[in-house]
Amino acid sequence: MNRDSSIQYVNQPQTWDIAIIGGGATGLGIAVDAASRGYKTLLVEQADFAKGTSSRSTKLVHGGVRYLAQGDIKLVYGALRERGILFRNAPHLVHAQSFIIPCYTWFAKLKFLIGLKIYDWMAGKYRIGKSSLLSKTKLATFIPTIKTKQLKGGIEYFDGQFDDARLAINLAQTANKYGATLINYAKVTELEKDNTGKITGFIFTDQETGKQYGVQSKVVINATGVFVDEILTLEQANHRPLVRPSQGVHVVVPLSFLNGKSALMIPETSDGRVLFGVPWHEHLILGTTDTPLNEHSLEPRALTEEVDFILNTAAQYLTRKPGRSDVLSVFAGLRPLAAPKDGQESTKEISRDHKLMVSTSGLVTITGGKWTTYRKMAEDTVNQCIRSGNLQPANCQTADIKIHGATNGVSSDHSLKIYGSDAAQIQSLVAETPRLSEKIHKNYHYIHAEVIWATRHEMARNVEDILARRLRVLFLDARAAIEMVPIVAALMGQELQKDETWQKQQIQDFKQLAQGYLLENKNNTPYQKHTITK
């Protein structure tokens, strides 16, 4: 995972079997699949790995209880199987989470119990827990802050939880292990075709140096999420949009608002969605929303009405009501939903299943889907590439491939558990240089050695990469992240051999970015409803 060597390698004359545009969950999953089958694989990402939607999820690995209610049996069945595979292949990142559904009518209690028993049954051998009825008294022991007036009890069921950006980095490392070449901050600006109109590769710009590089490949994959139509526009200027972006907002508050280890699931909100309250990294994530948007951005911003909806809905169920002043961070992600042809459904009804298409030029495009099913999406995409690019057939291996870091053991330092087998190497850095054991912030367990590790081995290129996606602090506590910037910039500057000017610019850029994760800030002006400025 060394960016400089990857750039040098790409600059050599060669033809790739598969070249992937997009370094989110889908693209990284494809890179692992293709490389593990033995194909010469390249992946380029315009920003950092998982910079977009793939780091902004509700942090759940799940079949999708609400999709079951919508009757999407095929999607739920497939997702439950993929959930089980992820539990097996990434035990350091994915764990079982208890969810509590409070019921205020006897009918609701019966309805949800039946539905969740079907959910358990559909998981088959991949089941991770058994749903059960809870009395009013028992439920209050799981969530002490729940409102008990007219409460009839509830249901406990189990689903998976994970760290999305950390899984993305581990997938990049896994692809690298199998021989794939990956480059972040590499933006594709042109698709190249031969004289018959078939795509033969692309040109990308190194966002750090401005230098352009040409890539020749037997197959090119467009796996760019909400940016999928931008790549298709390079291929054909007047194509019909394939994706309808839908914004999902999350707010993060102290875990004390639930005061327990179980998550809260509110199955029927005023807008017809579900709302989760999920413990994550010792904080509480509340979300999400489903707001259709006309445009997209790498840094979408929450609308005031979205934040108010989340806080007001949570307040209806909790005795301790979270308010705007309690919000530590607010983040928004854009779902790349495969839009229906008639354009009539609301975004919560648009399928979360994925869709594959092959243009007449040979460009393979993958849209839709969700984190839980990334592996199956990758398998389907590579199978299509074999047909489209006349590649030597090879079977998919990923159902049995352990993801980088996978270990069933527990690190002696619990704060490094999420690194899995890499935790020992971070501890070795501290043993070699004891000062690297110092905390970056007094309120958080992150240490200097983690910054060094991410810069050397995880292709972190700037302060945002560290604080947003390697350590996740920006998503947990934006003000604390701002306070960490000088130390992180200094550590990275020394490691990357950057001067003081670079460090000062990094500090300035990150502080400006982080303002968008605060509810009360100097720079964040509200966006108009249903639109986001590019």
Side-chain angles (χ1 to χ4, degrees):
M1 287 280 286
N2 182 289
R3 188 177 185 277
D4 292 340
S5 357
S6 294
I7 289 280
Q8 291 172 12
Y9 183 58
V10 166
N11 202 29
Q12 298 173 14
Q14 59 194 303
T15 298
W16 303 84
D17 291 321
I18 293 176
I20 305 153
I21 308 171
T26 306
L28 291 167
I30 293 168
V32 172
D33 188 297
S36 62
R37 295 197 206 198
Y39 299 123
K40 187 177 178 65
T41 304
L42 169 69
L43 179 147
V44 295
E45 160 57 41
Q46 66 172 330
D48 186 27
F49 304 119
K51 158 73 175 178
T53 308
S54 297
S55 61
R56 300 161 187 267
S57 73
T58 314
K59 324 304 178 194
L60 302 181
V61 178
H62 62 144
V65 171
R66 73 185 181 93
Y67 307 138
L68 181 61
Q70 293 170 2
D72 199 340
I73 304 298
K74 177 176 175 286
L75 175 63
V76 175
Y77 183 81
L80 286 170
R81 178 178 184 272
E82 292 303 317
R83 183 189 70 178
I85 292 172
L86 253 179
F87 265 77
R88 185 177 67 217
N89 290 340
H92 63 304
L93 285 182
V94 185
H95 65 270
Q97 173 66 55
S98 159
F99 286 82
I100 306 298
I101 301 178
C103 300
Y104 292 85
T105 68
W106 295 112
F107 176 74
K109 197 171 180 180
L110 178 63
K111 177 178 72 172
F112 293 126
L113 178 65
I114 292 171
L116 288 163
K117 286 296 183 182
I118 294 172
Y119 192 66
D120 291 347
W121 173 77
M122 288 177 67
K125 67 177 182 179
Y126 296 108
R127 191 178 75 178
I128 58 175
K130 185 179 180 181
S131 58
S132 59
L133 282 172
L134 298 176
S135 67
K136 176 179 177 177
T137 304
K138 184 69 173 177
L139 190 151
T141 66
F142 283 100
I143 302 181
T145 56
I146 197 72
K147 286 186 177 179
T148 55
K149 185 178 180 181
Q150 296 185 327
L151 181 68
K152 307 304 181 188
I155 313 294
E156 180 186 28
Y157 75 98
F158 294 86
D159 241 325
Q161 190 189 44
F162 77 134
D163 185 314
D164 46 12
R166 175 53 49 185
L167 178 56
I169 298 305
N170 285 167
L171 286 174
Q173 292 168 306
T174 307
N176 180 72
K177 170 187 172 182
Y178 281 94
T181 299
L182 303 98
I183 306 172
N184 53 4
Y185 296 100
K187 183 177 177 63
V188 171
T189 55
E190 184 179 340
L191 297 176
E192 295 193 304
K193 299 180 180 180
D194 63 18
N195 55 14
T196 68
K198 295 295 183 182
I199 287 180
T200 57
F202 53 74
I203 294 172
F204 74 85
T205 301
D206 182 344
Q207 301 283 67
E208 294 187 0
T209 65
K211 186 175 178 181
Q212 290 193 325
Y213 297 86
V215 169
Q216 298 296 307
S217 181
K218 296 174 185 175
V219 184
V220 173
I221 300 172
N222 176 12
T224 51
V226 293
F227 295 91
V228 70
D229 289 313
E230 293 187 9
I231 299 301
L232 286 168
T233 299
L234 295 178
E235 192 258 345
Q236 184 179 352
N238 57 353
H239 81 98
R240 184 187 68 83
L242 289 181
V243 163
R244 176 187 293 175
S246 168
Q247 177 159 286
V249 167
H250 298 83
V251 300
V252 179
V253 297
L255 185 55
S256 57
F257 281 94
L258 273 193
N259 200 23
K261 294 181 180 180
S262 293
L264 173 67
M265 194 272 223
I266 300 167
E268 294 171 340
T269 64
S270 59
D271 77 341
R273 285 185 56 80
V274 302
L275 188 83
F276 290 101
V278 184
W280 189 67
H281 290 314
E282 300 172 8
H283 290 70
L284 177 64
I285 294 179
L286 298 171
T288 182
T289 57
D290 207 333
T291 307
L293 299 176
N294 298 323
E295 298 184 29
H296 52 267
S297 164
L298 274 172
E299 280 293 339
R301 292 286 174 258
L303 303 170
T304 300
E305 54 265 39
E306 291 178 299
V307 174
D308 290 345
F309 166 76
I310 291 171
L311 294 176
N312 292 339
T313 303
Q316 294 171 22
Y317 291 84
L318 301 176
T319 55
R320 187 181 171 202
K321 300 178 180 181
R324 295 178 70 84
S325 61
D326 299 306
V327 175
L328 300 173
S329 184
V330 55
F331 61 92
L334 301 181
R335 305 177 189 90
L337 302 187
K341 290 184 179 180
D342 58 18
Q344 297 301 307
E345 290 104 319
S346 68
T347 55
K348 64 177 175 289
E349 294 167 339
I350 298 175
S351 175
R352 260 56 172 180
D353 211 347
H354 61 279
K355 295 182 181 179
L356 263 172
M357 63 166 281
V358 182
S359 305
T360 53
S361 65
L363 178 68
V364 176
T365 296
I366 174 77
T367 68
K370 61 196 193 105
W371 245 121
T372 306
T373 57
Y374 87 89
R375 191 206 66 82
K376 184 63 169 66
M377 293 166 65
E379 179 180 352
D380 291 350
T381 305
V382 175
N383 286 343
Q384 179 60 57
C385 289
I386 293 171
R387 295 189 292 269
S388 300
N390 294 317
L391 303 178
Q392 183 68 34
N395 293 328
C396 177
Q397 307 294 318
T398 53
D400 300 310
I401 287 178
K402 299 295 184 184
I403 292 167
H404 181 93
T407 176
N408 290 310
V410 178
S411 168
S412 57
D413 184 345
H414 184 74
S415 65
L416 299 177
K417 178 183 176 183
I418 200 166
Y419 291 95
S421 59
D422 283 342
Q425 299 188 60
I426 296 173
Q427 290 169 325
S428 295
L429 287 177
V430 172
E432 294 166 9
T433 313
R435 63 180 173 80
L436 293 181
S437 65
E438 294 176 20
K439 286 186 175 183
I440 305 171
H441 192 283
K442 63 180 179 7
N443 295 338
Y444 291 89
H445 57 69
Y446 307 109
I447 60 175
H448 290 201
E450 293 176 77
V451 179
I452 301 301
W453 173 262
T455 306
R456 287 182 187 174
H457 302 289
E458 296 180 352
M459 218 178 278
R461 304 298 298 174
N462 53 54
V463 168
E464 182 200 337
D465 294 349
I466 297 286
L467 291 175
R469 288 170 294 281
R470 304 306 186 277
L471 302 185
R472 311 316 311 270
V473 189
L474 179 61
F475 287 77
L476 295 170
D477 188 337
R479 287 185 178 82
I482 291 171
E483 293 168 3
M484 295 180 180
V485 177
I487 291 175
V488 174
L491 289 167
M492 291 191 80
Q494 184 176 6
E495 190 65 26
L496 295 172
Q497 299 182 324
K498 301 291 186 180
D499 60 19
E500 192 173 332
T501 302
W502 181 87
Q503 293 179 40
K504 288 180 178 178
Q505 188 64 51
Q506 284 290 303
I507 293 171
Q508 180 182 327
D509 290 349
F510 184 82
K511 285 183 175 180
Q512 183 175 0
L513 172 78
Q515 291 297 319
Y517 292 73
L518 296 169
L519 284 187
E520 309 299 332
N521 61 73
K522 295 175 289 186
N523 302 326
N524 187 22
T525 55
Y527 287 92
Q528 295 298 313
K529 190 170 182 179
H530 300 335
T531 188
I532 273 186
T533 305
K534 287 184 181 179

